[in-house]
């Protein structure tokens, strides 16, 4: 059985991912690194409450078979673009780097549709830069899952995200932007777990339409 490492386990995708990992018999241990408790109790679950700003205190614990990156925040919650970048890129990259140094072979990361380091849009540029930086680490397989607009239960209200989902759904009904249709966090989590057991090596990118296929919802 595999040992999974997770950051972002209290977010929309991360919480769904954690539930599925705990229910999956192929995983014998799930280690979560978080700033606050998940509130979950399970024999397979091991929680590490950490300060991401102090990697020397936790980087030696980042050991296992697969690392899942699902950490993220908003500019409004973080307070600025720079603060959001520190969380979405900085914390995730330093966690990935620690895993690579410790010999974790597989990384699976939630990115975003349109991720590109040269994008004129800050969020997509940030995700694209993270992909590029993680791709430079020595994982046997690194998987970047690029979903469209996310749906599902959140602990916080994101008005911009809700508006974006509504717009895309309207376009979908008109037969437009079918490759960018909204996807539930549960499906993204399922796609991430399925990616863990693929045989390919190197860098793998799953664009929005293929995320449904990876989740078994083609």
């Amino acid at each position: 059985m595999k040992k999974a490492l997770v950051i972002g386990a209290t977010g929309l995708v991360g919480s769904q991912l954690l539930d599925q990992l705990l229910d999956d018999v192929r995983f014998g241990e799930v280690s979560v690194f978080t700033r606050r408790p998940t509130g979950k109790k399970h024999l397979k679950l091991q929680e590490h409450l950490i300060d991401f700003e102090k990697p020397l205190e936790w980087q030696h614990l980042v050991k296992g078979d697969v690392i899942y990156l699902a950490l993220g925040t908003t500019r409004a919650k973080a307070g600025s673009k720079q603060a959001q970048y520190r969380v979405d890129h900085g914390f995730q990259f330093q966690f990935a780097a620690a895993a690579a140094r410790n010999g974790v072979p597989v990384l699976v990361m939630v990115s975003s549709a349109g991720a590109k380091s040269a994008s004129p849009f800050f969020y997509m540029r940030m995700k694209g830069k993270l992909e590029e930086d993680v791709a430079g680490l020595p994982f046997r397989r690194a998987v970047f899952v690029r979903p469209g607009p996310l749906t599902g239960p959140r602990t916080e209200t994101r008005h911009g995200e809700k508006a974006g989902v509504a717009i895309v759904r309207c376009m979908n009904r008109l037969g437009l932007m079918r490759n960018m249709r909204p996807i539930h966090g549960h499906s993204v989590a399922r796609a991430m777990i399925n990616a863990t057991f693929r045989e390919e090596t190197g860098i793998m990118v799953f664009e929005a339409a293929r995320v449904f296929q990876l989740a078994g919802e083609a």
Side-chain angles (χ1 to χ4, degrees):
M1 292 186 289
K2 293 185 180 296
K3 178 180 178 180
L5 310 167
V6 183
I7 59 170
T10 59
L12 172 57
V13 173
S15 61
Q16 299 282 340
L17 175 64
L18 178 56
D19 286 342
Q20 293 181 38
L21 289 171
L22 293 175
D23 288 340
D24 196 317
V25 296
R26 295 172 295 182
F27 293 89
E29 184 178 344
V30 182
S31 289
V32 172
F33 296 76
T34 181
R35 291 167 289 190
R36 66 180 189 273
T38 63
K40 299 181 184 297
K41 301 294 182 182
H42 197 284
L43 291 176
K44 294 197 297 188
L45 178 61
Q46 183 177 28
E47 285 192 359
H48 299 284
L49 299 182
I50 66 169
D51 182 346
F52 283 98
E53 299 281 3
K54 300 177 180 179
L56 292 178
E57 296 181 355
W58 51 260
Q59 59 186 6
H60 64 287
L61 299 172
V62 188
K63 297 177 181 179
D65 299 295
V66 55
I67 173 178
Y68 295 101
L69 303 184
L71 185 65
T73 187
T74 63
R75 191 186 314 174
K77 185 175 181 179
S80 67
K81 285 184 178 181
Q82 291 77 12
Q84 183 183 9
Y85 192 91
R86 177 62 179 148
V87 173
D88 282 41
H89 179 284
F91 290 169
Q92 295 206 100
F93 178 72
Q94 69 183 12
F95 197 78
R101 287 193 300 270
N102 292 338
V104 177
V106 177
L107 174 143
V108 184
M109 183 180 87
V110 181
S111 186
S112 170
K116 188 176 182 181
S117 62
S119 174
F121 302 103
F122 170 74
Y123 185 78
M124 295 176 182
R125 185 167 66 248
M126 175 177 64
K127 291 297 186 182
K129 184 63 168 64
L130 178 58
E131 286 186 6
E132 286 186 359
D133 291 343
V134 169
L137 297 173
F139 290 102
R140 181 169 61 84
R141 179 167 71 256
V143 182
F144 304 136
V145 176
R146 296 177 175 176
L150 297 172
T151 64
R154 284 195 184 277
T155 57
E156 60 188 17
T157 300
R158 297 188 179 185
H159 297 293
E161 186 176 79
K162 285 186 176 181
V165 168
I167 291 171
V168 172
R169 281 178 169 164
C170 182
M171 299 294 283
N172 291 167
R173 286 194 289 270
L174 296 174
L176 304 173
M177 298 179 66
R178 293 295 299 167
N179 288 339
M180 282 289 291
R181 65 189 187 278
I183 185 170
H184 197 283
H186 180 278
S187 299
V188 178
R190 175 51 50 193
M192 295 175 72
I193 292 175
N194 288 345
T196 305
F197 295 93
R198 295 179 69 94
E199 297 298 326
E200 299 92 334
T201 59
I203 307 300
M204 301 180 65
V205 178
F206 289 88
E207 300 290 355
R210 293 188 65 204
V211 178
F212 285 97
Q213 297 174 357
L214 186 59
E217 301 176 9

